[in-house]
Amino acid sequence: MKQRIKAGIVGGAGYTGGEMIRLLIHHPEVELVFVHSRSHAGSPLHQVHTDLLGDTEMHFTHKLDGAIDVLLLCLGHGESKVFLEEHQFPPELRIIDLSQDFRIDGKAGDREFVYGLPEWQRTVIREARSIANPGCFATAIQLGLLPLARAGTLPQVHTTGITGSTGA
């Protein structure tokens, strides 16, 4: 039997954290070890994410359990960089940042973040220990333009994006 990937989430009370919880709690290859929140430590996850009622009895914690394979940073923009400055993690721990903090300037101490668009650099991402997840607008734009860029026929491009309330 394949060993499950042990994951931890930091910033689990926000929108991105809630989506990560929903994706991971029933994933057959993942064990969600902890969900960190400074403001909701001790509260059940379903108290903040009401759609999780009946899916998990987990509670938010303020502690970081080191017995994980991957740490998902679901903090607000600007907070992931500060969080990594305040906490030390072993270099073999895979960290995936879902904020914008490392998308352009991919450095945090000794960590070098790679831009995590798999359609562009799948092999690099597989080997990376620090991954900066691209945002939704960037992903949509890049996926549309990537075939032209690969073919060397990418002209000067101007794009327009329209969002709903979550992107506001």
Side-chain angles (χ1 to χ4, degrees):
M1 183 172 156
K2 187 175 180 181
Q3 185 174 347
R4 296 172 74 189
I5 297 167
K6 293 182 178 187
I9 296 175
V10 173
Y15 175 78
T16 304
E19 291 304 309
M20 286 309 309
I21 295 166
R22 279 184 272 288
L23 288 169
L24 298 180
I25 60 172
H26 296 298
H27 194 291
E29 296 179 20
V30 175
E31 176 188 344
L32 186 55
V33 176
F34 68 86
V35 179
H36 179 275
S37 171
R38 293 181 300 252
S39 59
H40 294 281
S43 300
L45 299 184
H46 64 77
Q47 187 174 340
V48 173
H49 304 293
T50 56
D51 58 326
L52 295 177
L53 182 62
D55 282 338
T56 180
E57 295 300 317
M58 288 184 75
H59 287 68
F60 291 104
T61 183
H62 67 280
K63 296 179 182 174
L64 301 171
D65 186 335
I68 55 173
D69 304 305
V70 62
L71 180 66
L72 296 132
L73 300 178
C74 300
L75 297 163
H77 298 312
E79 294 181 40
S80 291
K81 193 168 273 199
V82 172
F83 181 83
L84 289 182
E85 289 171 0
E86 295 174 348
H87 297 85
Q88 295 295 317
F89 296 99
E92 64 273 5
L93 177 66
R94 181 164 286 161
I95 296 178
I96 302 172
D97 180 45
L98 288 108
S99 77
Q100 68 182 11
D101 290 13
F102 303 107
R103 292 175 186 163
I104 295 174
D105 178 17
K107 292 188 185 243
D110 293 339
R111 288 190 174 266
E112 182 86 29
F113 281 77
V114 301
Y115 190 72
L117 186 67
E119 293 81 2
W120 179 37
Q121 49 187 14
R122 183 176 312 276
T123 306
V124 175
I125 294 166
R126 269 196 193 112
E127 301 301 319
R129 290 288 162 224
S130 305
I131 302 163
N133 198 57
C136 55
F137 271 82
T139 298
I141 292 165
Q142 291 167 6
L143 291 180
L145 297 175
L146 196 55
L148 293 172
R150 282 192 175 137
T153 60
L154 187 64
Q156 183 177 2
V157 177
H158 302 274
T159 63
T160 300
I162 300 172
T163 187
S165 62
T166 62

